[in-house]
Amino acid sequence: MTDIKARLLSGDQLGLVRRPARYIGGEVNSPAISFDPAKINTVLCFPDIYEIGMSNLGLKIIYHILNSLPDVFCQRSFAPWPDMEKLLREEGLPLFSLESGTPVNEFDLIGFSLQYELSYTNVLNMLDLAGISLKSEDRREFPGLIIAGGHCCFNPEPMAPYFDAMVVGE
């Protein structure tokens, strides 16, 4: 567990947010995944809250496939509810992964699932919360790749400036 998750769990901070289980992980049958610098560390970011993201079958399939690869560790991150976003900003904490609490900006590959156009602003908010420049051309501080896939990638142009690569199609 990283300092971010430990800090949120040790204090009264999680008591300030509604439905804190969204942010602590540890679901039944979830794999024990830790950040490993020797592996390709990937985080799947779903630009909606935990309950919506966990009902997405595509996210579960990609998560399982990536964690089945011997050189890849895959974790998840979801858009926080406004109360958690406020807490993260007030405490100066970045958006983090569900499994280990690793800051999203420390991963080698950040993948977003674009399911509907109304989530585009959540993508930008998640990048901002992670401390990552929004436009790919402005990213000097982040050495990894930010990619997207999903239904909305049939027309990638509206979000193209914010990603390093997009998987066109489903």
Side-chain angles (χ1 to χ4, degrees):
M1 182 177 353
T2 63
D3 291 341
I4 295 171
K5 204 167 179 181
R7 188 168 158 190
L8 288 171
L9 291 174
S10 67
D12 293 329
Q13 284 90 348
L14 278 181
L16 300 174
V17 299
R18 191 167 177 224
R19 298 188 180 163
R22 291 176 174 158
Y23 310 106
I24 59 174
E27 302 104 322
V28 174
N29 295 325
S30 64
I33 299 170
S34 60
F35 196 82
D36 183 350
K39 306 277 185 179
I40 300 170
N41 290 286
T42 304
V43 62
L44 295 177
C45 292
F46 195 86
D48 211 322
I49 60 172
Y50 174 86
E51 292 85 352
I52 303 295
M54 286 305 292
S55 68
N56 183 282
L57 186 57
L59 183 74
K60 292 178 183 181
I61 291 169
I62 293 170
Y63 180 73
H64 173 74
I65 290 170
L66 289 174
N67 278 318
S68 298
L69 299 172
D71 294 331
V72 176
F73 279 135
C74 182
Q75 299 185 40
R76 301 163 293 164
S77 185
F78 300 91
W81 196 250
D83 58 357
M84 181 58 136
E85 177 185 348
K86 180 180 177 203
L87 178 63
L88 291 174
R89 292 190 188 280
E90 286 175 353
E91 296 291 323
L93 298 172
L95 185 65
F96 56 91
S97 68
L98 185 66
E99 287 79 3
S100 68
T102 302
V104 167
N105 63 10
E106 292 184 12
F107 285 87
D108 303 313
L109 180 66
I110 299 173
F112 279 91
S113 178
L114 299 181
Q115 300 297 310
Y116 38 87
E117 291 85 357
L118 292 176
S119 68
Y120 289 175
T121 55
N122 289 350
V123 170
L124 301 179
N125 192 44
M126 289 176 77
L127 288 173
D128 184 54
L129 282 169
I132 299 172
S133 297
L134 299 184
K135 291 192 173 185
S136 61
E137 66 186 19
D138 298 333
R139 282 188 210 117
R140 307 280 185 264
E141 79 290 349
F142 180 70
L145 290 174
I146 300 177
I147 64 170
H151 306 302
C152 284
C153 290
F154 279 116
N155 178 16
E157 199 54 37
M159 290 298 285
Y162 308 103
F163 293 101
D164 299 312
M166 296 178 86
V167 178
V168 178
E170 206 171 303

